[in-house]
Amino acid sequence: SYEQELKRSIRTKFASRIASVFVALTAALLFLIVERRLSSVWLGLVVVAAFAFGTSAWSTASRGLWQHGPSMLMLTAALYCFARADEKPRLLRWAGVPLALAYVVRPTNAIAVVVLSALVLWRYRREAVGYFAGLVVVGAAFIVFNVAMYGAALPNYYSAGRLGLHAHFFEALAGDLVSPARGLLVFSPVVVFAGVGVAVAVRRRQLGALDGALVLIVALHWVAISSYFHWWGGHSYGPRFFTDVLPFLFY
């Protein structure tokens, strides 16, 4: 009926508005990080504009209430704390909360949790107590909720068994990068400059601990999404599964 169609249209538009807010906040946080890193407002705006309008942040995360919008926001909030850790180490005490929430939103973010937690133990031990306290508080609340709702600490969606070396794994590795329908480099060729940036940093011996951690996270994320038998991500546009780690690539 007309009334049902009207309600569906309103829900869709409202969901799109909320999703757009998540992406806009992510872009704003990323600008604060990049502008400080480049010491240039204009270059920061160029980088963030490429992120916001030239990737699946625009075509996927801002179009509907996928997990990817809040996932990117939480990962970028954690990245902000890590990017300023040398200047203000106390910020790391807060990084555990958004990082844990990133996992709650999307289980593949467990990779970021593990790698960045290892970085804290290696480089920022004085802030480790506060950092892990944030992880524990969010994690405990998540487990309590799951036990109450599902009778288990983690629902099936978070099971590591959903990933594995399936028959089309190597095809998936290639497809996630260059597939005409899902390839990251096809839909967002600008991310090639992330690889160039890493190569330049290595050559100049300027690749820091955080840079190395983010490279490792992106690489492991690529392997993880390719390990899922449904690697193309269903009915969606472009490289949906790569959306979460886009802030790390642009950093």
Side-chain angles (χ1 to χ4, degrees):
S1 69
Y2 173 76
E3 183 178 353
Q4 290 176 329
E5 287 298 323
L6 180 61
K7 289 181 179 179
R8 187 179 296 111
S9 176
I10 292 173
R11 285 197 300 268
T12 301
K13 289 181 179 179
F14 186 62
S16 179
R17 298 296 186 274
I18 296 174
S20 297
V21 169
F22 282 127
V23 176
L25 290 173
T26 302
L29 261 180
L30 188 61
F31 171 76
L32 293 178
I33 298 168
V34 172
E35 186 272 336
R36 179 177 293 273
R37 185 171 172 84
L38 297 174
S39 300
S40 170
V41 172
W42 292 109
L43 283 177
L45 288 173
V46 169
V47 171
V48 172
F51 161 78
F53 303 112
T55 69
S56 51
W58 168 265
S59 60
T60 297
S62 70
R63 299 299 89 201
L65 281 179
W66 299 92
Q67 299 163 319
H68 307 293
S71 171
M72 285 197 304
L73 179 58
M74 293 299 102
L75 288 178
T76 307
L79 177 59
Y80 178 83
C81 296
F82 277 91
R84 300 196 61 187
D86 290 334
E87 175 190 349
K88 293 185 177 182
R90 291 185 178 182
L91 281 176
L92 280 181
R93 299 176 185 178
W94 301 99
V97 173
L99 200 53
L101 288 172
Y103 170 73
V104 170
V105 173
R106 193 155 178 82
T108 48
N109 290 330
I111 295 169
V113 174
V114 172
V115 174
L116 292 177
S117 295
L119 180 61
V120 170
L121 290 174
W122 177 42
R123 288 286 303 273
Y124 306 101
R125 293 181 183 177
R126 291 184 178 180
E127 314 304 327
V129 173
Y131 168 83
F132 283 102
L135 282 179
V136 169
V137 168
V138 175
F142 184 51
I143 290 173
V144 168
F145 173 82
N146 288 330
V147 170
M149 292 295 294
Y150 308 112
L154 292 175
N156 290 335
Y157 184 73
Y158 290 77
S159 171
R162 300 177 76 231
L163 304 180
L165 192 62
H166 55 84
H168 301 286
F169 172 71
F170 293 104
E171 176 185 340
L173 279 175
D176 279 322
L177 293 183
V178 297
S179 163
R182 291 293 183 267
L184 176 67
L185 301 181
V186 173
F187 285 84
S188 301
V190 67
V191 301
V192 168
F193 290 109
V196 174
V198 171
V200 170
V202 170
R203 184 176 180 181
R204 295 178 178 177
R205 297 182 180 179
Q206 295 176 344
L207 193 74
L210 176 59
D211 302 322
L214 297 183
V215 170
L216 180 59
I217 291 169
V218 172
L220 292 177
H221 181 86
W222 175 34
V223 172
I225 62 177
S226 300
S227 299
Y228 183 42
F229 76 96
H230 202 231
W231 62 267
W232 56 91
H235 296 285
S236 58
Y237 180 84
R240 179 168 75 85
F241 282 171
F242 255 119
T243 305
D244 306 88
V245 295
L246 284 173
F248 294 168
L249 284 166
F250 276 81
Y251 175 84

